[in-house]
Amino acid sequence: MTKKPTKAATPTAARADAKGRVPADAAPASNRATRAAERRSAIVEAAMEEFIARGFAATRLDDIAKRAGVAKGTIYLHFKDKESMFEELVRTVIVPVVAKLNALPPPTGSVRDLVEAFAGNFLKEVIGTRRGDLVRLIVAEGPRFPSVADFYYREVVSRGIAGMRALIELGIARGEIREKNLARYPQILVAPAMIAVIWQSLFARHAPLDAQDMLRVHLDLIFGERRTT
């Protein structure tokens, strides 16, 4: 009698037990990668909440692990220390907002329109949000942690300044901006945004600030008042 050929077992099937159960370490690599990404995201989210609540100096990895629902050792599978975790937080939460400035298309309208659109979106995404809390954290604790402040400058501030300077130079070339020295101090262009971020946490309960209207007045000083028909 000819023996019927058996079907070749797959690597996963070969490792299944008598009841057809597959060990956890035999799960598809894509599933493991997904779970790892979810844990990393949970750690970053927990870190943001702890940093904002306690400050950078007082935040402990134990507290982050507890909030994220993972073992402390799991954190070290993703981050080498608290500083690298904070850097990841800045990259994922703040850098994308600033990156939009350098990704703006060449303006078909006025430079002011482009600046106003970006600045307005920045205020919307930062003021009163966790992003604003992180910016205030940098301002408050940056002097005590120079490496953290240096990282923030490289990843956020320098990019924002470069983007604003490019828009200012374009505005000068088009005749929209008369003060040519403004290109030397692009910080002036974004000053209302920084004032609004700091004001929100310190003085808003005493004197609420209309950040969007302050931005409009600021741009009137730089570009001239808008003409109404």
Side-chain angles (χ1 to χ4, degrees), residues 187-209:
Q187 296 91 336
I188 294 175
L189 198 58
V190 296
M194 290 306 300
I195 291 173
V197 168
I198 296 172
W199 190 278
Q200 177 67 23
S201 63
L202 293 177
F203 311 119
R205 66 184 183 278
H206 302 295
L209 180 67

Side-chain angles (χ1 to χ4, degrees), residues 153 161-162 164-169 172 177 179-189:
Y153 178 84
I161 288 177
M164 285 297 173
R165 179 176 283 116
L167 287 177
I168 291 169
E169 290 174 345
I172 292 172
I177 298 176
E179 180 51 72
K180 296 182 179 180
N181 284 325
L182 183 61
R184 296 171 53 196
Y185 306 104
Q187 296 91 336
I188 294 175
L189 198 58

Side-chain angles (χ1 to χ4, degrees), residues 45-141:
E45 178 69 22
M48 179 166 64
E49 295 300 325
E50 289 296 321
F51 284 136
I52 291 172
R54 303 173 184 270
F56 184 82
T59 293
R60 303 183 308 159
L61 293 182
D62 299 85
D63 297 322
I64 294 174
K66 182 178 180 180
R67 184 184 286 269
V70 302
K72 183 178 178 180
T74 302
I75 290 180
Y76 290 108
L77 297 177
H78 299 274
F79 305 99
K80 65 178 182 179
D81 53 26
K82 185 168 65 173
E83 185 175 308
S84 64
M85 194 182 304
F86 188 81
E87 291 176 355
E88 176 72 4
L89 190 55
V90 171
R91 287 193 190 96
T92 58
V93 175
I94 299 180
V95 169
V97 178
V98 179
K100 293 178 182 179
L101 176 61
N102 294 305
L104 290 173
T108 54
S110 69
V111 172
R112 172 174 177 153
D113 288 338
L114 204 59
V115 172
E116 198 162 13
F118 170 77
N121 184 67
F122 180 89
L123 291 175
K124 179 181 178 181
E125 294 192 22
V126 174
I127 301 299
T129 71
R130 284 303 197 222
R131 292 187 179 95
D133 292 331
L134 286 178
V135 173
R136 287 187 285 271
L137 180 62
I138 287 289
V139 172
E141 300 201 40

